[in-house]
Amino acid sequence: MKFIVFGLGNFGASLASKLVKLGHEVIGVDHRHETTEKWKDHITHVVTLDASSPEAMGTLPLKDVEAVIVAIGETPGIGIMVAALLRQLGVKRIISRVITPLQRTVLETMGIEEFADPESDSAERMAYRLDLKGVVTSYKITDEYRLIEVSVPAAFVGSKVSDIDFPGEYSILLVTMIRTIEEKNIFGVVHPVRQAMGLVGKDNIMNKEDSLLLFGEIGKLERFIEY
């Protein structure tokens, strides 16, 4: 898969280089030439440009990538500006680094739904999350096993939990389900809030908007996701 990472500070550079090690193509973008020079041998492509310039942004293959990650952390306002410009340019999946609750609220108001909090979201964990398509969150337990949150595969939407033999057929475990409800933020804008359902009963229905928290070997998890 292909990704663009804006901001090659500690978090952004670590994320970009980890994604490259996982076999993905990454364009790393920063406004500082010395920074792009530093990472040119670790990231597939590096570009020095002003991400707040619509003309400069137009030179990037923004619509040809799986996701664009705004990892700019020095100034929250710049991160918000870049995210807004990406929305204006029609980028479908934007993941924004957030520094303050207010920054997150403003981004939510703009329609941004995915966030990276470097205090709790290590670059390595986010790389593993992006490594598998459709994964919301991924935790590396060992080299072979992961705990992942994934959207309900289309084939299973509307099914009961008991309809799927997670341990028998797929050799994975369903830990819990996460359901999204809607709440209003301080600006009165409706935004999604996620709630874990605890121990899942066999009669629970898996809705399209739900996600599943699964544990298992990486290969077995991939097989379930691709079903």
Side-chain angles (χ1 to χ4, degrees):
M1 290 185 281
K2 298 180 181 179
F3 301 94
I4 296 177
V5 177
F6 286 97
L8 297 180
N10 290 335
F11 178 75
S14 296
L15 172 61
S17 57
K18 184 63 181 179
L19 284 169
V20 171
K21 289 179 181 177
L22 288 170
H24 303 288
E25 183 178 346
V26 180
I27 299 174
V29 181
D30 200 282
H31 70 281
R32 298 161 296 193
H33 180 68
E34 62 272 20
T35 300
T36 54
E37 279 293 304
K38 175 182 176 181
W39 291 102
K40 67 180 182 180
D41 295 327
H42 304 277
I43 301 172
T44 317
H45 311 283
V46 291
V47 179
T48 304
L49 60 74
D50 177 8
S52 64
S53 165
E55 293 76 17
M57 291 280 268
T59 65
L60 298 171
L62 296 170
K63 296 184 179 180
D64 298 329
V65 296
E66 180 70 21
V68 176
I69 301 95
V70 182
I72 298 168
E74 299 90 347
T75 308
I78 297 298
I80 291 171
M81 185 184 302
V82 172
L85 184 53
L86 291 170
R87 287 281 293 175
Q88 183 180 345
L89 292 171
V91 177
K92 292 183 178 179
R93 187 181 183 190
I94 303 168
I95 303 172
S96 290
R97 178 183 180 183
V98 290
I99 308 300
T100 67
L102 179 59
Q103 181 188 10
R104 181 180 181 125
T105 299
V106 172
L107 289 167
E108 286 175 344
T109 304
M110 290 163 39
I112 306 296
E113 298 179 352
E114 292 188 73
F115 303 96
D117 177 4
E119 296 300 320
S120 59
D121 236 343
S122 73
E124 182 177 39
R125 187 188 308 165
M126 172 157 282
Y128 284 123
R129 162 185 161 189
L130 294 169
D131 186 37
L132 298 176
K133 202 165 188 176
V135 171
V136 179
T137 307
S138 178
Y139 301 88
K140 179 182 177 182
I141 307 301
T142 67
D143 287 341
E144 295 82 21
Y145 287 88
R146 288 192 201 171
L147 182 66
I148 69 169
E149 181 187 341
V150 62
S151 301
V152 177
F156 300 136
V157 172
S159 300
K160 292 183 179 179
V161 169
S162 59
D163 292 336
I164 303 172
D165 186 2
F166 288 94
E169 184 174 355
Y170 297 99
S171 299
I172 60 177
L173 296 177
L174 173 63
V175 179
T176 190
M177 290 171 55
I178 297 168
R179 183 151 289 170
T180 300
I181 63 172
E182 293 186 339
E183 289 185 355
K184 289 184 178 180
N185 62 23
I186 59 174
F187 294 111
V189 177
V190 174
H191 67 106
V193 176
R194 292 147 36 79
Q195 293 184 339
M197 297 177 64
L199 295 176
V200 179
K202 64 181 181 180
D203 292 327
N204 279 102
I205 303 295
M206 293 179 289
N207 299 321
K208 182 178 180 181
E209 299 78 13
D210 295 338
S211 57
L212 310 175
L213 190 63
L214 304 169
F215 172 78
E217 292 182 53
I218 296 172
K220 303 290 177 52
L221 292 168
E222 288 178 333
R223 184 168 73 90
F224 177 79
I225 294 170
E226 293 169 358
Y227 187 87

